[in-house]
């Protein structure tokens, strides 16, 4: 379930990036962002229920909530994006916590299992998501240029979404 969700997130990030570069319009971008946000929320709930995995869907659920906030702001034409920036800050902090968890691994349970195993690639991915959402937060408060955020989003669509998504689909494992 997570592979299609990760792939479709690019259908939100890329149009938002292009909008920030002056190549799009807000309402249509807001609509697709809302569709992707809803798919991420539903997909993360299905994955949690079906696969009994509380870890990655939790991260995706936070991002899906953020995408819905971005969607609302774009679709309604909000000029003051500080509320979106504040949701971005919360999302960045959650991604930072996940970065630490994927670097260190979660605690070892009594039965010897670890719910969160260390993963270099997932730590890198979460660090990238944290950086992007910190950039969104700063941008919403006028402290980071939209053009730099746009190019960061475009790069991270490939590095943080499509490479791991397609690699996992084709090889059955993450790149490293």
């Amino acid at each position: 379930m997570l592979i299609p969700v990760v792939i479709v997130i690019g259908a939100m990030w890329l149009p938002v990036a292009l909008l920030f570069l002056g190549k799009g319009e807000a309402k249509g971008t807001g609509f697709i962002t809302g569709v992707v946000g809803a798919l991420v929320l539903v997909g993360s709930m299905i994955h949690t229920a079906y696969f009994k995995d509380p870890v990655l869907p939790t991260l995706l659920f936070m991002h899906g909530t953020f995408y819905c906030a971005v969607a609302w702001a774009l679709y309604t034409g909000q000029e003051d994006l500080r509320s979106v920036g504040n949701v971005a800050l919360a999302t960045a902090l959650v991604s930072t916590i996940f970065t630490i968890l994927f670097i260190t691994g979660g605690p070892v349970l009594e039965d010897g299992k670890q719910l969160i195993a260390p993963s270099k690639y997932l730590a890198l991915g979460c660090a990238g998501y944290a950086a992007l959402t910190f950039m969104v937060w700063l941008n919403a408060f006028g402290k980071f240029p939209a053009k730099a955020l746009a190019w960061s989003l475009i790069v991270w669509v490939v590095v943080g979404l499509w490479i791991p998504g397609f690699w996992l689909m084709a090889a059955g494992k993450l790149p490293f």
Side-chain angles (χ1 to χ4, degrees):
M1 185 72 217
L2 290 180
I3 295 170
V5 169
V6 168
I7 299 297
V8 80
I9 291 170
M12 174 265 182
W13 285 9
L14 190 59
V16 168
L18 294 171
L19 178 68
F20 284 169
L21 292 172
K23 308 288 184 205
E25 54 83 35
K27 282 192 177 192
T29 303
F31 175 77
I32 189 61
T33 301
V35 169
V36 170
L39 287 171
V40 171
L41 292 173
V42 170
S44 64
M45 287 187 279
I46 290 170
H47 188 92
T48 300
Y50 185 77
F51 294 104
K52 308 291 187 237
D53 174 15
V55 180
L56 288 176
T58 299
L59 178 65
L60 284 172
F61 199 87
M62 186 69 207
H63 281 267
T65 302
F66 167 62
Y67 302 157
C68 289
V70 172
W72 179 256
L74 292 174
Y75 193 75
T76 60
Q78 291 180 11
E79 292 184 26
D80 183 351
L81 297 177
R82 290 180 295 172
S83 60
V84 172
N86 289 335
V87 178
L89 176 60
T91 305
L93 294 171
V94 167
S95 294
T96 301
I97 292 166
F98 270 91
T99 301
I100 294 165
L101 287 172
F102 283 123
I103 289 170
T104 63
V108 177
L109 304 176
E110 289 180 18
D111 62 0
K113 286 187 192 175
Q114 245 185 336
L115 290 178
I116 303 172
S119 170
K120 292 176 185 173
Y121 196 88
L122 290 175
L124 171 70
C126 289
Y129 306 142
L132 285 174
T133 48
F134 277 122
M135 288 178 208
V136 172
W137 172 57
L138 292 170
N139 175 266
F141 285 86
K143 306 292 183 194
F144 194 83
K147 203 174 231 184
L149 174 57
W151 285 109
S152 298
L153 286 169
I154 291 168
V155 167
W156 206 249
V157 163
V158 175
V159 174
L161 295 170
W162 291 345
I163 288 174
F166 286 112
W167 195 290
L168 191 57
M169 181 180 62
K173 61 183 180 129
L174 291 169
F176 62 84

